[in-house]
Amino acid sequence: MSTVLPILLEEVVFRPGGRRVIDGLSARIKTPGITALIGPNGAGKSVTLRIIDGLLVPDGGTIRFGDRPPSLVRRAFVFQRPALVRASVAANVALGLSSMRLSSSARRERVRNALERVGLADRADDPARKLSGGEQQRLALARAWVSEPELLLLDEPTANLDPGATEAIERLVAAIAEAGVKVILVSHNLGQVARLSEDVLVVERGRVVEHGPARQVLQTPRSTEARSYIKGELPWTLFAAAS
Amino acid sequence: MLQAFGDAIALLQALDRDVLAIAALSVRVSLLAVTFACLVGLPLGALVAVTAFPGRQAAIAVLNALMGLPAVVVGLVVYLLLSRSGPLGAWGLLFTPTAMVMAQTVLVTPLIAALTRQIVEDADRELGEQLRSLRLGLWRRATTLLYDARFSLVVAILAAFGRAISEVGAVLVVGGNIAGHTRTMTTAISLETQKGDLPLALALGLVLIGIVIAINALASGLRLYAMRAYG
């Protein structure tokens, strides 16, 4: 079981310019494997992920990872659009090791292993930005994985990918989770959420409105917000039903 | 005028020693100045791009304003520093190529720093969040972004070289336009035009234009290559 658990978010508030993007969000994530964050656009999922990573500093509330201070938790982030440096595939993966003190041979070895795990070993010397979208996202996963994170944060990693590339990413994410890494995934793809995640948090207007096992949340959501999001109900259909 | 142009071509075809010496000094001085300016301007621009500090916007405004420094004013300031009664007068550098390098370095450092700041800031918009999530320190982030933007930066450096080699005010004031010692293409063109030696002025002008065109061609070619090779 991952040592970062339980992940506790207590009354987290984030209000840039006075606008409440995260409004007293609380959650206790204790399940190993993959936790999904779902909810409509603008609900605060990606911001929550960035707060967990430390990229954004909340205006209030606390975040705890087991009994360890956040600074000691190895975290990695994969964005919706992979941000790659104009350099080789291998050089981009090596960036994931920048904060570690390693000999150059150990560094090369770890980069090679990471590329093998994502099936890009034969592209090591190619320019990273010349890869296809799916390959670029696999490269981003390799860069995250090479740093041996305890917590991997994924922000809609397959949003721009075709079904084949999506399937490849899903297999990798499942493998990373099986290796003992705690994964938090933001996704609008409910099929993907059902396939991958152990538990699901539904976020709405900067708060968690429902949290439970994936099967239960996706099949029999309790809250109105979760029900309408999962059923894909649009405002005008809700309005029509009410009238 | 056609006669002068014909004589200028003849000078170039004969590889006139004076023309070559003047052109070589100009290129050497400007290359050195741009090299020193890069050593200061690249890291300075990158750090301003990735660092948040009080007064940052004011610093950027000053940096941008300094891009338009009048060459002759830079020459005057460096002259005052290097003149016998100035703080660096003991070095005895006035009216030497070294003084010209110093003046051109002062002239193009803000240009390189300001362009670097803009280019690196654009790169940071694209990569910054990822680099911060990789826990890279400030310096490592700055150098990574410099590396990522290297092809755009080469264009900025070549633009700085273009500015250095084509300016006349600074090198004239601190170099003195001494024949065989501190005479550059621009100062020689100015002098020879006044003297009425139009063929030599035109020949030097053609060399200068050729260098500027070659720089621009190099910059365009490099960008094209980079786009194709690295995306």
Side-chain angles (χ1 to χ4, degrees):
Chain A
M1 183 170 164
S2 175
T3 55
V4 296
L5 297 174
I7 299 170
L8 286 171
L9 299 147
E10 292 174 333
E11 290 296 319
V12 176
V13 174
F14 183 67
R15 41 173 184 235
R19 195 169 59 90
R20 282 187 170 254
V21 176
I22 301 295
D23 189 16
L25 184 144
S26 296
R28 181 187 169 86
I29 301 169
K30 55 184 187 204
T31 323
I34 301 171
T35 295
L37 254 66
I38 64 171
N41 289 328
K45 308 178 297 295
S46 296
V47 171
T48 303
L49 219 54
R50 282 163 173 74
I51 289 172
I52 294 171
D53 187 66
L55 281 170
L56 294 175
V57 180
D59 295 301
T62 54
I63 300 149
R64 284 185 285 170
F65 301 92
D67 54 359
R68 297 162 59 194
S71 59
L72 293 182
V73 175
R74 291 195 308 277
R75 289 161 286 183
F77 203 118
V78 173
F79 296 86
Q80 183 177 337
R81 275 189 64 234
L84 303 173
V85 175
R86 283 180 186 82
S88 70
V89 166
N92 270 277
V93 176
L95 264 183
L97 299 170
S98 297
S99 57
M100 297 182 182
R101 284 166 188 248
L102 293 170
S103 68
S104 56
S105 61
R107 196 173 292 267
R108 272 198 305 275
E109 181 69 13
R110 284 175 72 159
V111 169
R112 197 175 57 79
N113 287 341
L115 286 174
E116 271 173 9
R117 285 187 293 201
V118 301
L120 289 174
D122 58 335
R123 309 292 304 272
D125 297 324
D126 290 352
R129 293 197 182 197
K130 286 290 180 182
L131 300 182
S132 70
E135 288 170 332
Q136 288 195 9
Q137 200 56 291
R138 272 152 59 200
L139 169 55
L141 271 176
R143 183 172 56 191
W145 205 356
V146 77
S147 63
E148 297 183 350
E150 297 163 279
L151 175 61
L152 177 62
L153 304 159
L154 305 173
D155 190 4
E156 301 189 51
T158 60
N160 301 322
L161 304 182
D162 64 37
T166 297
E167 199 251 332
I169 295 294
E170 285 185 8
R171 264 192 285 114
L172 283 171
V173 171
I176 292 170
E178 275 168 27
V181 179
K182 175 65 196 168
V183 177
I184 301 181
L185 163 75
V186 167
S187 180
H188 283 294
N189 181 340
L190 296 184
Q192 179 176 75
V193 171
R195 285 190 293 277
L196 290 177
S197 57
E198 312 294 329
D199 61 332
V200 174
L201 286 93
V202 184
V203 181
E204 170 81 49
R205 293 198 190 101
R207 300 176 75 96
V208 174
V209 293
E210 187 155 345
H211 181 193
R215 180 181 285 265
Q216 180 253 300
V217 173
L218 294 173
Q219 291 184 352
T220 54
R222 291 188 188 122
S223 65
T224 314
E225 295 93 335
R227 259 202 310 279
S228 57
Y229 174 73
I230 289 164
K231 285 182 182 170
E233 284 178 345
L234 299 169
W236 51 86
T237 57
L238 282 172
F239 188 77
S243 63
Chain B
M1 185 180 157
L2 279 176
Q3 176 65 42
F5 194 76
D7 290 347
I9 299 289
L11 275 174
L12 290 175
Q13 281 175 337
L15 294 175
D16 183 81
R17 193 175 289 175
D18 284 349
V19 172
L20 289 181
I22 291 169
L25 178 69
S26 293
V27 170
R28 186 160 58 90
V29 166
S30 296
L31 273 179
L32 279 170
V34 170
T35 303
F36 292 129
C38 282
L39 291 176
V40 178
L42 290 175
L44 177 66
L47 286 173
V48 172
V50 299
T51 315
F53 57 88
R56 181 173 177 272
Q57 283 309 317
I60 290 171
V62 170
L63 210 53
N64 288 341
L66 290 176
M67 274 201 295
L69 269 178
V72 72
V73 174
V74 171
L76 178 62
V77 171
V78 176
Y79 179 93
L80 292 172
L81 289 172
L82 297 179
S83 64
R84 200 172 293 173
S85 57
L88 306 177
W91 294 1
L93 292 175
L94 202 57
F95 306 127
T96 66
T98 306
M100 291 150 70
V101 171
M102 288 170 76
Q104 286 197 349
T105 302
V106 173
L107 187 70
V108 296
T109 296
L111 181 68
I112 290 177
L115 292 176
T116 300
R117 198 274 311 161
Q118 185 61 59
I119 290 167
V120 170
E121 202 169 290
D122 289 344
D124 188 52
R125 219 163 280 138
E126 193 182 350
L127 295 172
E129 199 171 38
Q130 178 69 71
L131 299 183
R132 284 195 300 279
S133 85
L134 290 168
R135 320 292 165 205
L136 301 189
L138 194 67
W139 180 246
R140 187 62 208 270
R141 262 193 295 139
T143 53
T144 302
L145 290 169
L146 280 172
Y147 183 77
D148 181 68
R150 61 197 179 281
F151 298 112
S152 300
L153 289 169
V154 168
V155 176
I157 292 165
L158 291 176
F161 181 72
R163 164 114 160 107
I165 201 159
S166 59
E167 71 84 21
V168 61
V171 284
L172 185 63
V173 173
V174 301
N177 195 22
I178 302 165
H181 185 48
T182 59
R183 182 159 294 172
T184 64
M185 285 188 281
T186 51
T187 57
I189 289 169
S190 173
L191 178 73
E192 301 305 332
T193 305
Q194 284 170 9
K195 277 167 51 184
D197 189 352
L198 293 181
L200 182 55
L202 269 174
L204 289 166
L206 287 172
V207 173
L208 191 58
I209 289 168
I211 289 172
V212 171
I213 289 173
I215 288 167
N216 277 291
L218 190 63
S220 301
L222 196 70
R223 265 195 92 78
L224 204 64
Y225 162 77
M227 289 293 284
R228 284 191 186 147
Y230 290 93

